Structure formats: C-alpha cells, structure tokens
Amino acid sequence: MELPSTPVVKSSRLKSAVWNDFERVKKGDVMVAICKHCKKKLSASATSGTSHLKNHLIRCRKRCGRELTQQVLVVRGNQKDSTFNFGSYQFGQDLSPMELKFDQEQSRLDLKFDLERSRLDLARMIILHEYPLSIVEHDGFKRFVENLQPSFKLMSSHIVKSDCLQIYGNEKQKVYQILDKIPGRISLKADVWGSSQENKFLCLTAHYLDAFWAPQKKILSFVMVDPNQEFSVAEVIVQLLMDWDIDRKLSSVTFDDNFTNDVVFRIRDRLTQNRLLLNSGQLFHVRCAVNILKLIVQEILEAIHEETHKIREIIKYIKSSEGILQKFNEIAQQVIGGTERCLYLDCPSQWNSTYFMLDSAIMCKDVFRHLQEFSSSYAPLLSDAEWEKVGVVCSYLKLFVEVNTVFSGVKYPTANLYFPDFCDINLKLVGWCNSSDLFASSLALKMRSKFDAYWSICGLVLAIAAILDPRYKMKLVEYYYRQIYGSNAQDYIKDVASGMKDLHNEYAVCATLTSFDHGLPCEVQSSNGLNAALPIDNDSRDRLRGFDKFLNETTDNQQIISELDKYLDEPVFPRNVDFNILSWWKVNAPKYPILSIMARDVLGIPVCTFTSESAFSTGGRVLDPNRTALEPDILQALICAHDWLGTELEDFKFKTSPHKHALSSDHSTNCFGSNRGSQLLSPYLLG
C-alpha cells in the first residue's frame, strides 16, 4: 500500500536549479523527488545530494522533447533572418553555465537551420533526381516540409528556377577549371536531339582521361539548333569551343548521322586555319560506330520487311488463343522436341529482339506448317524461298548483334576496342559479297557501301588506337589487312604505319615546344661572379619555333624515333581477360613519355555516341514533350548540372550504403531518362 504523499514547502536551502524540474514531497518518513516531466520518483533526502537528479534530467526523454518543441515555437514566433540557432534560446536559466552546456550537448539543443542552404539543397535535389520545378507548389510536398521543418519558407517555382540556374553557374565554373587543368586533349561527342515540336537540340559532351587515367565526361551544352542551316550549326559548335576555351586542346569530335560532311569540314577548316588541330586534323573527324551498325541493320531488315510482318502476325495469332497455343505446343513437342525459344514476339523498336524472333521462328517453321492443318483461319505462311531469305538475314544479323553486345557491355569503352570487331565485319562482307546467292550478294553489296563510307573516315583512327594496345600493336593491323586486302595489303599497312609515325612526330614536336615555352629563365654567371637571370626574348623564342619543327622533320632524331620503334619492336603483351589498357599506360608512361601523351588522347576518343541502353534502339533521340516546354536556359541548366552533379550523387550513395553501392555494376545516371524506342528525356522537369 502506497503511503500518502505530502507536498513539502520549498525551503530556502533548495537553491539548486534542478528543483525547477522536480517536486519534493514527503511519503511517510521518506523525502522523494518526483520528476515533473516523466513522474519518476527519486530520493530527495538531505544526504543524497542532487547529482543523481541532474543525471536523470539529462536522460529524461520527455523533458528533452518538450524543450525542443518549445524552442521551435519560440523561433517560429521570432524569425528575423534566414539563419536560426536553436541553442540561443536557453531553458533552465537557473542551471550553471557548465550544467547548461552539458545539458545542451546531450539534448542536441544547439541545432542550426540555414534557410539559404536548405533552398539550394532543394534545388540540387530537383536537379539530381529530375523532379519538376513545380514540386514546391504541390500540396503533399508543402505538408511534408511544414511538418518536417516549420521554419522553412516554401518558395515559388520561379525562385526554384533561379536557384537551379545559380547552381548551374557555380558548377559550370568548376567544370571550366577542371577542363583547364586536364593533362591531355579533349574529345567531343556531338548529338542532335529531336522534340515533339520538331525542334532540334545540339548536345555537346567532352570526353577525356584525367590525371589518373580514368575516363571522364562532362556535358558542356544543350542548345537549340537548325540542322538545315549547316553554316549556323558549324558556327555554334566553334563558338561553344571558344566559350569553353577548349578549341586549343581539341583532339577529335565524334558526330552522329545528323551532321553532314559539309558541317564537319566547316568546323575542321576553322580550326586548322588557326593551327589548333594536330597533324592537320588527322583524328578530328570520327563517326559513331554503333550508328553505322544501325544503318546496316536497317538495310537488312528492310530487305525482309514483308516476311518479318508475316512472322510477327503468325506469332500473335497463335498467342491469341489458349487452344491454338496448346495445339502448337503439342505439335512442337513432336516435331522439334520442345517449345524452348519458340514464339518469341519482338519489340519493333529494338532490332536485336527482331533478330531473336526471326531466329526462333526458323526453328519452328515445320511446326507452323503442321499447325495450319488444324486451323482454317491460320495466318498466311511463308514460302520456302521466303524462309531462305529469313535464314540469310539471320546469319547477317547474328554478327551485328554479337558485335553490338560487346560495345554496349562496356561502361567506358576505349577506342582500341572497336578495330578487331570492325575488321571481322569487313571480312564477313567480303565473303558475303562473293556469295552465289543473288539475294545474299546483292544485300551484302548494299551493306558494304555503307560500311566503306564509315571505314574511309574512321579506319585510320581505329587502327592507331589498336596499335596503342600493347596486346596488338602493328601485328593486329598486319593480320587483318592481309586477309581483307590480299595482294594490296602492304600498301594499306604502310599507310597506317605512316599515319602512326606522323602523328607521333607531331606529338613529339608539341612536347618539345611545350617544354621550351614553360622552361625556366636561363641562369648565367655574371661578371661579378653572382648568378643572374637572363630573360628570354619572346620574339626570339617565336622565331625559333619554326626551327624546332624543321629540326624534328629533317634530323634523324634517335630519341624521338627510338621511342616509337622501341614500343613496336618489343613483344606484344599477353592477352588475358584481366588486362586494363589504361592501367598499362599509366604504369608505362615514364618509359614512353611522348607515346603515352598520344595514347591518352587517342584512347579517350568516344567512338560511339550512344549509351548502352540505346545501343539496339531503332529510334532517334527525342525530347519528352514536358522537357520541350521548358525555356532554353533552364533546360540546358538542368541537363548539364544533372550530369555534373552525378559524381556527387554517387559519393553520397557510397557513404550511405557502401556495400550496396559496391555490388552495383553501373552507377551512372542517365540525364536523358529512359529509352522507349526513341531515347526520351525524363518527363519530370516541367516548369
């Protein structure tokens, strides 16, 4: 039975501030202190002191929660600026300074809220996750923020836009400084995007290898252009190069099929006039490797358009009825021993799925014939000649599916990856063109025409990249060219060797001039015996630049020549799956100082303009209608900033869930959204 308690009048001796939170009562003959917050009873005898009472207040959750809530209410009622300090409002005024400090640290009462920082965090969140600018006007978001942080003042979408533009400006300056300090040259990737309003947008992306030989990319611009005005497009690209101050360190530009040769020649002529390109732009013009495969595949599929439509309708018909499907499975079990890989219906916007459909249909052609006997309304069958055409096409498509799978399976493909596969395609085309089958040979000739147009532009670039692979060197060029060109192979091999040597000599000259330009003043012994600096006359230095180039071109400079020859004469590196070409050049850069500079630039060329997700898509790049509605300045800001902040998002993911992040095979984000036939920008950036 609990003894009745009797309140004790506060005596003059109870001077400790702790009694503001306790009520001292007498229960029987015992003095008890009852916490005013959680009602817990503690000893309050004259000999027990107050230390245990103070310790309880530190741990009392109800007291801490109540005080923090009161402070928030006080702050809300006394907002004067954008920065608030919850620790400035002190409870327990009777506590000593030491007690108050300890109490605040334990109760986390020294929290700060920065409105300006929170606004920028919100804008960064919208950029990173592609949320609409109008999210700040959604009722659900308003309620969430109000309950989470009542001190945060929500703004309009127009203010969010200005915050996003501010972040874009700050990040652009950082990217500018990064590009200014990279050790090598920059390769660009130029893509043209369409829109629902038939507008065209130029996306310009910089690719390079950083100081640690790691592949990097930065989207530099996303601007509206008119591809029909070729002079205007060329001028826009040249102006963007100058704005970013990378026209002097440009290595190459990889164009998609939206750019005509006239546009490319205009840009190259502008840059070569100012002597900004190495070796008169030998590596400047690059065409997208995956795009040429798409063009060839489109030629192949067009040749059997009607047959493909029939097969697609047959599969749809069989799948439309459970009875017909069951009968098909029974016949397939008898004829081919099962229904595995059968009845594969393609997605027409993904050309590799069309190959899988045709390939599986060939296996089931006898099943289709038997099924016709049990269904009078069966879809029309293919003739034997049509099935033969489908078989030829499947044999062609198989190669391109395999090659494209290799390209799309690498997150950051280096330029050396493409030469062997394109040589295989070249060899196959030679054989297909000589086929006795009229359909097969005529189709191969059309494919060959498209491939040769690409090879004439990019063959040398791909060959040089392969030579810079220590597993291949010139041996791979000799191996393939002898098979492709037969008796004329030696002439083509000499052209590649000459191009490799000329480019290397150009790098050697640039390295010499760079070393000279950045040299320290010469120190000479003065007449009085003291060291004096002899300044270099700028005019004299400029006059000798031509002499340096003449010396490198006319003198048998063993140091320069021997570096390339030494690399080529050494045995090739053993081929194995663990080989990393960038790591190899990073380690061997001191051994090949000039050749490694060249390798850094060549291997960093983006031979493909498509992402791995869209490698098999038959559609083009199209802006989502919501994105098209955005103003040009905010559209560019959101797309570029999303790309630039991607590394920050990856770092945050790693900090919050490092184990999950480490298991992921690809942490890159696609600022252009998902691919649905055409590559679409995300619909969630409507202002």
Side-chain angles (χ1 to χ4, degrees), residues 519-538:
L520 296 175
C522 301
E523 289 190 353
V524 297
Q525 193 74 15
S526 64
S527 58
N528 59 5
L530 300 177
N531 289 334
L534 179 63
I536 300 176
D537 182 71
N538 290 332

PDB file of all heavy atoms in Angstrom, residues 519-538:
ATOM      1  N   GLY A 519      59.805  26.614 -69.955  1.00  0.00           N
ATOM      2  CA  GLY A 519      61.108  26.492 -69.319  1.00  0.00           C
ATOM      3  C   GLY A 519      61.407  27.658 -68.398  1.00  0.00           C
ATOM      4  O   GLY A 519      60.873  28.759 -68.535  1.00  0.00           O
ATOM      5  N   LEU A 520      62.304  27.437 -67.464  1.00  0.00           N
ATOM      6  CA  LEU A 520      62.691  28.490 -66.537  1.00  0.00           C
ATOM      7  C   LEU A 520      63.716  29.404 -67.183  1.00  0.00           C
ATOM      8  O   LEU A 520      64.421  28.999 -68.104  1.00  0.00           O
ATOM      9  CB  LEU A 520      63.273  27.862 -65.263  1.00  0.00           C
ATOM     10  CG  LEU A 520      62.287  27.026 -64.456  1.00  0.00           C
ATOM     11  CD1 LEU A 520      63.036  26.360 -63.301  1.00  0.00           C
ATOM     12  CD2 LEU A 520      61.141  27.850 -63.944  1.00  0.00           C
ATOM     13  N   PRO A 521      63.837  30.633 -66.742  1.00  0.00           N
ATOM     14  CA  PRO A 521      64.847  31.528 -67.288  1.00  0.00           C
ATOM     15  C   PRO A 521      66.241  30.933 -67.132  1.00  0.00           C
ATOM     16  O   PRO A 521      66.549  30.292 -66.127  1.00  0.00           O
ATOM     17  CB  PRO A 521      64.675  32.805 -66.457  1.00  0.00           C
ATOM     18  CG  PRO A 521      63.280  32.747 -65.946  1.00  0.00           C
ATOM     19  CD  PRO A 521      62.998  31.294 -65.745  1.00  0.00           C
ATOM     20  N   CYS A 522      67.065  31.160 -68.150  1.00  0.00           N
ATOM     21  CA  CYS A 522      68.424  30.621 -68.112  1.00  0.00           C
ATOM     22  C   CYS A 522      69.247  31.371 -67.070  1.00  0.00           C
ATOM     23  O   CYS A 522      69.185  32.595 -66.969  1.00  0.00           O
ATOM     24  CB  CYS A 522      69.080  30.755 -69.481  1.00  0.00           C
ATOM     25  SG  CYS A 522      68.182  29.908 -70.793  1.00  0.00           S
ATOM     26  N   GLU A 523      70.016  30.639 -66.333  1.00  0.00           N
ATOM     27  CA  GLU A 523      70.883  31.255 -65.336  1.00  0.00           C
ATOM     28  C   GLU A 523      72.305  31.292 -65.871  1.00  0.00           C
ATOM     29  O   GLU A 523      72.826  30.301 -66.360  1.00  0.00           O
ATOM     30  CB  GLU A 523      70.841  30.468 -64.027  1.00  0.00           C
ATOM     31  CG  GLU A 523      69.515  30.630 -63.295  1.00  0.00           C
ATOM     32  CD  GLU A 523      69.570  30.048 -61.911  1.00  0.00           C
ATOM     33  OE1 GLU A 523      70.584  29.418 -61.581  1.00  0.00           O
ATOM     34  OE2 GLU A 523      68.599  30.224 -61.161  1.00  0.00           O
ATOM     35  N   VAL A 524      72.910  32.447 -65.833  1.00  0.00           N
ATOM     36  CA  VAL A 524      74.282  32.617 -66.326  1.00  0.00           C
ATOM     37  C   VAL A 524      75.135  33.194 -65.215  1.00  0.00           C
ATOM     38  O   VAL A 524      74.642  33.760 -64.240  1.00  0.00           O
ATOM     39  CB  VAL A 524      74.306  33.559 -67.556  1.00  0.00           C
ATOM     40  CG1 VAL A 524      73.531  32.939 -68.693  1.00  0.00           C
ATOM     41  CG2 VAL A 524      73.743  34.930 -67.214  1.00  0.00           C
ATOM     42  N   GLN A 525      76.433  33.065 -65.382  1.00  0.00           N
ATOM     43  CA  GLN A 525      77.371  33.615 -64.410  1.00  0.00           C
ATOM     44  C   GLN A 525      77.675  35.055 -64.793  1.00  0.00           C
ATOM     45  O   GLN A 525      78.183  35.332 -65.872  1.00  0.00           O
ATOM     46  CB  GLN A 525      78.667  32.791 -64.402  1.00  0.00           C
ATOM     47  CG  GLN A 525      79.580  33.082 -63.234  1.00  0.00           C
ATOM     48  CD  GLN A 525      79.044  32.498 -61.942  1.00  0.00           C
ATOM     49  OE1 GLN A 525      78.161  31.666 -61.953  1.00  0.00           O
ATOM     50  NE2 GLN A 525      79.572  32.950 -60.834  1.00  0.00           N
ATOM     51  N   SER A 526      77.363  35.998 -63.945  1.00  0.00           N
ATOM     52  CA  SER A 526      77.606  37.405 -64.255  1.00  0.00           C
ATOM     53  C   SER A 526      79.073  37.750 -64.059  1.00  0.00           C
ATOM     54  O   SER A 526      79.847  36.988 -63.512  1.00  0.00           O
ATOM     55  CB  SER A 526      76.732  38.287 -63.369  1.00  0.00           C
ATOM     56  OG  SER A 526      77.104  38.130 -62.013  1.00  0.00           O
ATOM     57  N   SER A 527      79.428  38.936 -64.521  1.00  0.00           N
ATOM     58  CA  SER A 527      80.828  39.353 -64.451  1.00  0.00           C
ATOM     59  C   SER A 527      81.316  39.514 -63.026  1.00  0.00           C
ATOM     60  O   SER A 527      82.502  39.392 -62.754  1.00  0.00           O
ATOM     61  CB  SER A 527      80.996  40.682 -65.210  1.00  0.00           C
ATOM     62  OG  SER A 527      80.136  41.669 -64.652  1.00  0.00           O
ATOM     63  N   ASN A 528      80.414  39.783 -62.114  1.00  0.00           N
ATOM     64  CA  ASN A 528      80.837  39.949 -60.731  1.00  0.00           C
ATOM     65  C   ASN A 528      80.791  38.641 -59.962  1.00  0.00           C
ATOM     66  O   ASN A 528      80.922  38.640 -58.748  1.00  0.00           O
ATOM     67  CB  ASN A 528      79.978  41.011 -60.039  1.00  0.00           C
ATOM     68  CG  ASN A 528      78.501  40.648 -60.066  1.00  0.00           C
ATOM     69  OD1 ASN A 528      78.136  39.564 -60.513  1.00  0.00           O
ATOM     70  ND2 ASN A 528      77.663  41.574 -59.584  1.00  0.00           N
ATOM     71  N   GLY A 529      80.557  37.512 -60.675  1.00  0.00           N
ATOM     72  CA  GLY A 529      80.605  36.214 -60.026  1.00  0.00           C
ATOM     73  C   GLY A 529      79.291  35.777 -59.440  1.00  0.00           C
ATOM     74  O   GLY A 529      79.202  34.689 -58.899  1.00  0.00           O
ATOM     75  N   LEU A 530      78.232  36.599 -59.538  1.00  0.00           N
ATOM     76  CA  LEU A 530      76.932  36.236 -58.983  1.00  0.00           C
ATOM     77  C   LEU A 530      76.050  35.663 -60.077  1.00  0.00           C
ATOM     78  O   LEU A 530      76.188  36.005 -61.256  1.00  0.00           O
ATOM     79  CB  LEU A 530      76.265  37.469 -58.355  1.00  0.00           C
ATOM     80  CG  LEU A 530      77.045  38.137 -57.216  1.00  0.00           C
ATOM     81  CD1 LEU A 530      76.303  39.388 -56.753  1.00  0.00           C
ATOM     82  CD2 LEU A 530      77.245  37.165 -56.057  1.00  0.00           C
ATOM     83  N   ASN A 531      75.103  34.804 -59.679  1.00  0.00           N
ATOM     84  CA  ASN A 531      74.152  34.256 -60.637  1.00  0.00           C
ATOM     85  C   ASN A 531      73.127  35.314 -61.001  1.00  0.00           C
ATOM     86  O   ASN A 531      72.539  35.944 -60.131  1.00  0.00           O
ATOM     87  CB  ASN A 531      73.429  33.030 -60.056  1.00  0.00           C
ATOM     88  CG  ASN A 531      74.371  31.852 -59.949  1.00  0.00           C
ATOM     89  OD1 ASN A 531      75.338  31.765 -60.686  1.00  0.00           O
ATOM     90  ND2 ASN A 531      74.078  30.947 -59.035  1.00  0.00           N
ATOM     91  N   ALA A 532      72.909  35.482 -62.301  1.00  0.00           N
ATOM     92  CA  ALA A 532      71.917  36.444 -62.785  1.00  0.00           C
ATOM     93  C   ALA A 532      71.008  35.761 -63.788  1.00  0.00           C
ATOM     94  O   ALA A 532      71.466  34.921 -64.565  1.00  0.00           O
ATOM     95  CB  ALA A 532      72.601  37.652 -63.431  1.00  0.00           C
ATOM     96  N   ALA A 533      69.741  36.129 -63.763  1.00  0.00           N
ATOM     97  CA  ALA A 533      68.773  35.516 -64.678  1.00  0.00           C
ATOM     98  C   ALA A 533      68.789  36.246 -66.007  1.00  0.00           C
ATOM     99  O   ALA A 533      68.722  37.472 -66.054  1.00  0.00           O
ATOM    100  CB  ALA A 533      67.378  35.564 -64.075  1.00  0.00           C
ATOM    101  N   LEU A 534      68.936  35.456 -67.093  1.00  0.00           N
ATOM    102  CA  LEU A 534      68.915  36.023 -68.433  1.00  0.00           C
ATOM    103  C   LEU A 534      67.530  35.823 -69.021  1.00  0.00           C
ATOM    104  O   LEU A 534      67.147  34.695 -69.323  1.00  0.00           O
ATOM    105  CB  LEU A 534      69.953  35.323 -69.318  1.00  0.00           C
ATOM    106  CG  LEU A 534      70.028  35.798 -70.782  1.00  0.00           C
ATOM    107  CD1 LEU A 534      70.457  37.263 -70.835  1.00  0.00           C
ATOM    108  CD2 LEU A 534      70.967  34.915 -71.585  1.00  0.00           C
ATOM    109  N   PRO A 535      66.741  36.863 -69.173  1.00  0.00           N
ATOM    110  CA  PRO A 535      65.385  36.683 -69.685  1.00  0.00           C
ATOM    111  C   PRO A 535      65.394  36.252 -71.143  1.00  0.00           C
ATOM    112  O   PRO A 535      66.277  36.617 -71.904  1.00  0.00           O
ATOM    113  CB  PRO A 535      64.756  38.074 -69.505  1.00  0.00           C
ATOM    114  CG  PRO A 535      65.915  39.019 -69.537  1.00  0.00           C
ATOM    115  CD  PRO A 535      67.069  38.282 -68.911  1.00  0.00           C
ATOM    116  N   ILE A 536      64.372  35.486 -71.509  1.00  0.00           N
ATOM    117  CA  ILE A 536      64.238  35.011 -72.883  1.00  0.00           C
ATOM    118  C   ILE A 536      63.385  35.999 -73.657  1.00  0.00           C
ATOM    119  O   ILE A 536      62.284  36.332 -73.249  1.00  0.00           O
ATOM    120  CB  ILE A 536      63.588  33.621 -72.918  1.00  0.00           C
ATOM    121  CG1 ILE A 536      64.456  32.641 -72.129  1.00  0.00           C
ATOM    122  CG2 ILE A 536      63.398  33.126 -74.338  1.00  0.00           C
ATOM    123  CD1 ILE A 536      63.836  31.261 -72.030  1.00  0.00           C
ATOM    124  N   ASP A 537      63.882  36.466 -74.758  1.00  0.00           N
ATOM    125  CA  ASP A 537      63.131  37.402 -75.587  1.00  0.00           C
ATOM    126  C   ASP A 537      61.989  36.671 -76.291  1.00  0.00           C
ATOM    127  O   ASP A 537      62.205  35.642 -76.947  1.00  0.00           O
ATOM    128  CB  ASP A 537      64.062  38.036 -76.621  1.00  0.00           C
ATOM    129  CG  ASP A 537      63.342  39.052 -77.480  1.00  0.00           C
ATOM    130  OD1 ASP A 537      63.004  40.120 -76.973  1.00  0.00           O
ATOM    131  OD2 ASP A 537      63.102  38.728 -78.670  1.00  0.00           O
ATOM    132  N   ASN A 538      60.781  37.166 -76.162  1.00  0.00           N
ATOM    133  CA  ASN A 538      59.616  36.485 -76.727  1.00  0.00           C
ATOM    134  C   ASN A 538      59.697  36.387 -78.239  1.00  0.00           C
ATOM    135  O   ASN A 538      59.341  35.379 -78.834  1.00  0.00           O
ATOM    136  CB  ASN A 538      58.337  37.210 -76.321  1.00  0.00           C
ATOM    137  CG  ASN A 538      58.043  37.047 -74.843  1.00  0.00           C
ATOM    138  OD1 ASN A 538      58.434  36.043 -74.256  1.00  0.00           O
ATOM    139  ND2 ASN A 538      57.381  38.021 -74.257  1.00  0.00           N
TER     140      ASN A 538
END
